[in-house]
Amino acid sequence: MLALRSKPHPCIWPSNTFSHFARAKRFRHSLSHDLRALLRETAQPVAVVTCCTPPSTSPTPIVPKFHGATLSSFTSVALEPFPVVSFALRLPSRMSQYLRARYSSNHPSPLPFQDLQEAKTSHMVVNLLCASQAATAHHFAQPSPFEAQYDTEYPYSLSEEGIPILQGSLGALSCSVLSITPLYAPGATVREGTLSELILARVVRVEKCVGGGEQMPLVYHRRKYTTLS
């Protein structure tokens, strides 16, 4: 006796499903627009994070290279029980790749709290720019800046770990990565400038910057670099 095959039922979406998606999309766009408009009215500090690129696996010794990126956000999170700062990186980002490589090599598994308190080695330097360094901020906002060993146009000294400290900066912080958190849903597609990662970092040292002095800070306000009057 032959079994009767039932015909597959067509997938019928509720009549209001697509209108719901459209309303949700319009709401997200409106929220993003309103938030950006508000934040443009607030002055944001401008910083450049620098790091060393991961060691090469080539048998031929290669001179270490450096990488730098202008941060779109930077803030202090806590001072106790140890100082913590945070910043976000838009994806795709080579800085994110390099920091992940450094973090993974030093933290193969989650560290206990006590070990985090006693961390002394930094993975990066956060350089807080002064009013005269708008050109520096523009330079490091480009896709692939600062991958040569030396750069006379943007001179620097080196931290204990050999990471660039930009001369003339208002100040600089040597930091160790605490966590890297994706700010998107699992499986989301990375498109230029649409996804971000949040980096929490412990401040290991406050570095001395050559030529910084007591200058005014560089800030980003109303879509341009400026300073405090």
Side-chain angles (χ1 to χ4, degrees):
M1 186 173 181
L2 296 177
L4 296 177
R5 293 184 179 179
S6 59
K7 294 182 179 180
H9 293 283
C11 180
I12 301 176
W13 292 84
S15 59
N16 64 343
T17 298
F18 295 105
S19 61
H20 172 75
F21 288 159
R23 287 196 301 271
K25 185 176 181 180
R26 287 196 299 270
F27 173 77
R28 290 194 299 269
H29 176 76
S30 176
L31 178 61
S32 176
H33 177 271
D34 292 346
L35 179 59
R36 288 182 180 181
L38 175 59
L39 293 181
R40 288 191 196 110
E41 301 302 315
T42 63
Q44 305 293 326
V46 181
V48 169
V49 60
T50 54
C51 73
C52 297
T53 59
S56 172
T57 56
S58 171
T60 304
I62 299 177
V63 177
K65 292 184 178 181
F66 306 130
H67 186 64
T70 300
L71 299 177
S72 59
S73 65
F74 171 79
T75 188
S76 172
V77 176
L79 292 177
E80 299 293 342
F82 47 81
V84 177
V85 296
S86 73
F87 58 89
L89 294 172
R90 286 184 294 182
L91 303 179
S93 166
R94 278 192 292 174
M95 176 61 71
S96 173
Q97 295 175 7
Y98 297 154
L99 292 181
R100 279 185 174 278
R102 293 284 178 179
Y103 177 72
S104 300
S105 63
N106 293 341
H107 304 82
S109 60
L111 289 176
F113 184 79
Q114 185 65 25
D115 289 342
L116 292 177
Q117 280 190 303
E118 296 176 355
K120 298 297 181 182
T121 302
S122 68
H123 303 128
M124 73 193 104
V125 172
V126 178
N127 303 270
L128 300 172
L129 303 188
C130 69
S132 61
Q133 291 180 300
T136 303
H138 281 294
H139 174 73
F140 287 100
Q142 302 307 309
S144 57
F146 209 47
E147 289 211 333
Q149 186 185 17
Y150 298 102
D151 192 338
T152 55
E153 189 174 359
Y154 302 97
Y156 59 88
S157 57
L158 294 177
S159 68
E160 292 181 14
E161 294 80 9
I163 303 172
I165 302 170
L166 299 179
Q167 295 183 14
S169 297
L170 200 65
L173 307 173
S174 281
C175 300
S176 176
V177 176
L178 288 178
S179 66
I180 301 177
T181 305
L183 299 180
Y184 51 88
T189 303
V190 176
R191 299 190 303 274
E192 185 68 36
T194 61
L195 303 181
S196 301
E197 288 182 332
L198 178 67
I199 288 85
L200 288 179
R202 178 186 186 266
V203 178
V204 176
R205 288 184 308 276
V206 176
E207 305 285 0
K208 294 182 179 180
C209 296
V210 178
E214 296 182 358
Q215 299 191 49
M216 298 298 288
L218 182 68
V219 297
Y220 192 71
H221 183 230
R222 295 182 176 177
R223 298 183 178 182
K224 65 179 181 180
Y225 295 115
T226 182
T227 188
L228 305 178
S229 58

